[in-house]
């Protein structure tokens, strides 16, 4: 019995380790989009991985569960420290992500003009590949609400982009 438990324990850890190696950059990017702070983003990812490691039964789909844990950790952090009290400038944010591509700066700047719920829907759908159903589960909202946030956010991005390029 002890050997079976140890084998199960090792398989769980291997599954979580593989998941983390494959998704760590995207988990961090999502956490950073919510927290605006590299240290708090790392803490949110750490919290999510710890929750996976301590789960009695692992969910079949680790990715939505991890994103939900990150979101919850970011909300807890926001409640504890206040709304983005240490927001990064765009330049600091890009430096923390290790990129210097100008279009990334433009996209990040445009995304920062959206409401947080619109930004989250777009980031999860477009950058992380979640379905509206998965985003609804992560954010505890209805699918229609998520679809509406996504469409509204995209329209705002289009309008902002058009304004910037017609001046």
């Amino acid at each position: 019995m002890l050997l079976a438990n140890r084998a199960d324990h090792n398989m769980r850890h291997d599954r979580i380790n593989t998941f983390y190696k494959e998704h760590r950059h995207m988990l961090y990017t999502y956490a950073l989009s919510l927290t605006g702070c590299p240290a708090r983003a790392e803490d949110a990812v750490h919290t999510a991985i710890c929750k996976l490691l301590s789960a009695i039964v692992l969910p079949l789909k680790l990715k939505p569960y991890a994103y939900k844990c990150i979101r919850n950790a970011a909300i807890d952090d926001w409640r504890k420290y206040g709304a983005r009290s240490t927001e990064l400038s765009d330049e600091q944010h890009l430096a923390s992500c290790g990129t210097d591509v100008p279009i990334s700066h433009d996209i990040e700047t445009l995304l920062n003009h959206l409401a947080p719920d619109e930004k989250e829907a777009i980031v999860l759908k477009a950058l992380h590949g979640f379905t509206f159903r998965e985003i609804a589960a992560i954010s505890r909202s209805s699918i229609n609400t998520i679809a509406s946030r996504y469409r509204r956010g995209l329209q705002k991005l289009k309008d902002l982009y058009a304004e910037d390029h017609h001046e």
Side-chain angles (χ1 to χ4, degrees), residues 80-98:
K80 185 175 180 181
Y81 296 108
R84 293 183 176 240
S85 59
T86 58
E87 270 192 46
L88 298 173
S89 70
D90 290 335
E91 291 76 20
Q92 289 171 313
H93 175 76
L94 289 172
S96 72
C97 293

Side-chain angles (χ1 to χ4, degrees), residues 1-158:
M1 181 71 170
L2 181 61
L3 288 176
N5 287 340
R6 187 173 304 233
D8 181 53
H9 177 76
N10 288 340
M11 285 177 23
R12 288 168 44 90
H13 278 272
D14 289 346
R15 184 172 171 217
I16 294 167
N17 189 38
T18 300
F19 168 78
Y20 177 72
K21 285 179 180 178
E22 291 174 358
H23 296 90
R24 67 179 173 243
H25 179 71
M26 295 305 282
L27 294 170
Y28 174 77
T29 302
Y30 175 61
L32 188 60
S33 76
L34 295 174
T35 65
C37 172
R40 290 182 181 168
E42 289 173 1
D43 288 347
V45 172
H46 178 260
T47 298
I49 298 302
C50 286
K51 285 196 184 282
L52 281 171
L53 289 169
S54 65
I56 294 171
V57 176
L58 284 179
L60 291 176
K61 294 183 177 184
L62 295 179
K63 190 175 172 185
Y65 181 82
Y67 276 69
K68 190 174 196 173
C69 291
I70 288 169
R71 185 177 197 275
N72 291 340
I75 290 170
D76 290 346
D77 185 67
W78 182 85
R79 287 178 181 146
K80 185 175 180 181
Y81 296 108
R84 293 183 176 240
S85 59
T86 58
E87 270 192 46
L88 298 173
S89 70
D90 290 335
E91 291 76 20
Q92 289 171 313
H93 175 76
L94 289 172
S96 72
C97 293
T99 181
D100 58 355
V101 180
I103 194 155
S104 296
H105 182 268
D106 291 343
I107 292 169
E108 182 67 25
T109 300
L110 292 174
L111 283 171
N112 284 332
H113 284 85
L114 300 178
D117 58 351
E118 295 165 346
K119 179 179 178 180
E120 181 181 32
I122 289 173
V123 166
L124 287 173
K125 178 84 171 139
L127 298 178
H128 298 274
F130 283 104
T131 65
F132 288 142
R133 183 177 308 282
E134 291 170 326
I135 297 168
I138 290 168
S139 65
R140 295 184 185 120
S141 302
S142 75
I143 294 172
N144 290 337
T145 298
I146 297 304
S148 176
R149 289 174 182 170
Y150 182 78
R151 283 190 300 274
R152 188 174 55 242
L154 281 182
Q155 187 58 53
K156 285 182 182 178
L157 287 175
K158 288 176 187 175

